[in-house]
Amino acid sequence: MKKATTIIISSFTIHILLLISIPLTSSQSNENTTIVDQICKKTPFYDLCSSILNSNPLTPKTDLKTIAIVMVKNILSNATDTLNYIEGLIKKTSDRGMEQALAFCAESYIPVVKYTLPQATDAINQNRFAFASYCVNDAVKEINSCNKKFSGLTLVSPLGDRNGIVQKLVDVASAIIKQLLKG
Ligand SMILES: *[C@@H]1O[C@H](CO)[C@@H](O)[C@H](O)[C@H]1NC(C)=O
Ligand SMILES: CC(=O)N[C@H]1CO[C@H](CO)[C@@H](O)[C@@H]1O
């Protein structure tokens, strides 16, 4: 009888200890900005990187892998929005050359949004960082080729700085994935 009580008490003690240790481990997330800072300082666009990571409440701020996924998902939503914008412009334009350039851009963005970026996310999840890096660099190429289409057509790209933003986001993600590759 006494033994049983001891077991109950000791397992109770273990539970208490576990409960006490939970706040201790979660207090590590107080080092939020320092970790995000360290990661973002190794990317070419510190402000962009830290504003995205700090504004994402889901970022478990100590895990480089999850941070890389947050970044790639951010590019995905940004690039999806840009693709919708391009498709909207295609419907509106009456200029044939412009329509062709925009259609070319839509064709560049579609595989990025549908395959390349989701593949990058999967690859990071599966610790295949070299493949993730390849996917992200491939996205850069597609967006670059879209950008070039407007250089002879107009002084100001009809996409404004949208391509530029997606390019910067991809550069940031690429730099974070490089840190994963080293780690
Ligand atoms: C794309 O990224 C830029 C820079 O972070 C941001 O200002 C913009 O709101 C984003 N757009 C979407 C649709 O996520
Ligand atoms: C610089 C900064 O914003 N750091 C914050 C990190 O998280 C702790 C606790 O949540 C805050 O007190 C700091 O201000």
Side-chain angles (χ1 to χ4, degrees):
M1 203 48 183
K2 243 187 179 174
K3 258 185 189 162
T5 329
T6 320
I7 289 166
I8 288 165
I9 287 175
S10 58
S11 82
F12 182 71
T13 316
I14 288 168
H15 275 108
I16 295 277
L17 284 174
L18 281 175
L19 282 177
I20 292 171
S21 67
I22 287 167
L24 282 179
T25 47
S26 72
S27 77
Q28 280 175 354
S29 66
N30 281 350
E31 289 167 14
N32 46 28
T33 37
T34 52
I35 302 287
V36 168
D37 273 1
Q38 281 168 18
I39 293 170
C40 290
K41 273 181 188 147
K42 292 179 194 157
T43 72
F45 304 102
Y46 172 81
D47 289 343
L48 185 65
C49 173
S50 67
S51 81
I52 290 165
L53 294 182
N54 284 322
S55 70
N56 190 317
L58 298 176
T59 314
K61 293 172 178 171
T62 50
D63 178 359
L64 186 58
K65 189 170 142 175
T66 314
I67 283 175
I69 290 171
V70 166
M71 234 21 254
V72 174
K73 287 196 169 157
N74 191 280
I75 307 169
L76 182 57
S77 73
N78 218 294
T80 304
D81 188 65
T82 300
L83 176 59
N84 291 336
Y85 186 74
I86 294 169
E87 286 172 345
L89 288 179
I90 291 175
K91 283 180 196 143
K92 274 191 252 164
T93 188
S94 49
D95 182 301
R96 210 176 140 76
M98 182 57 77
E99 189 187 326
Q100 277 173 357
L102 288 167
F104 178 91
C105 278
E107 277 174 33
S108 304
Y109 266 87
I110 286 168
V112 167
V113 162
K114 275 201 170 172
Y115 308 109
T116 319
L117 292 175
Q119 273 177 343
T121 309
D122 287 348
I124 296 167
N125 262 325
Q126 296 160 6
N127 297 331
R128 294 162 62 214
F129 304 131
F131 185 61
S133 181
Y134 167 82
C135 291
V136 163
N137 289 330
D138 195 54
V140 176
K141 276 185 212 150
E142 294 285 351
I143 292 156
N144 269 336
S145 64
C146 157
N147 241 351
K148 282 187 199 141
K149 278 286 158 182
F150 300 110
S151 53
L153 279 176
T154 50
L155 238 49
V156 182
S157 162
L159 301 185
D161 199 30
R162 282 166 178 266
N163 272 339
I165 287 168
V166 175
Q167 262 170 328
K168 281 182 185 166
L169 293 174
V170 172
D171 284 347
V172 168
S174 175
I176 294 175
I177 292 169
K178 269 196 195 118
Q179 295 174 50
L180 279 171
L181 271 168
K182 280 183 195 158

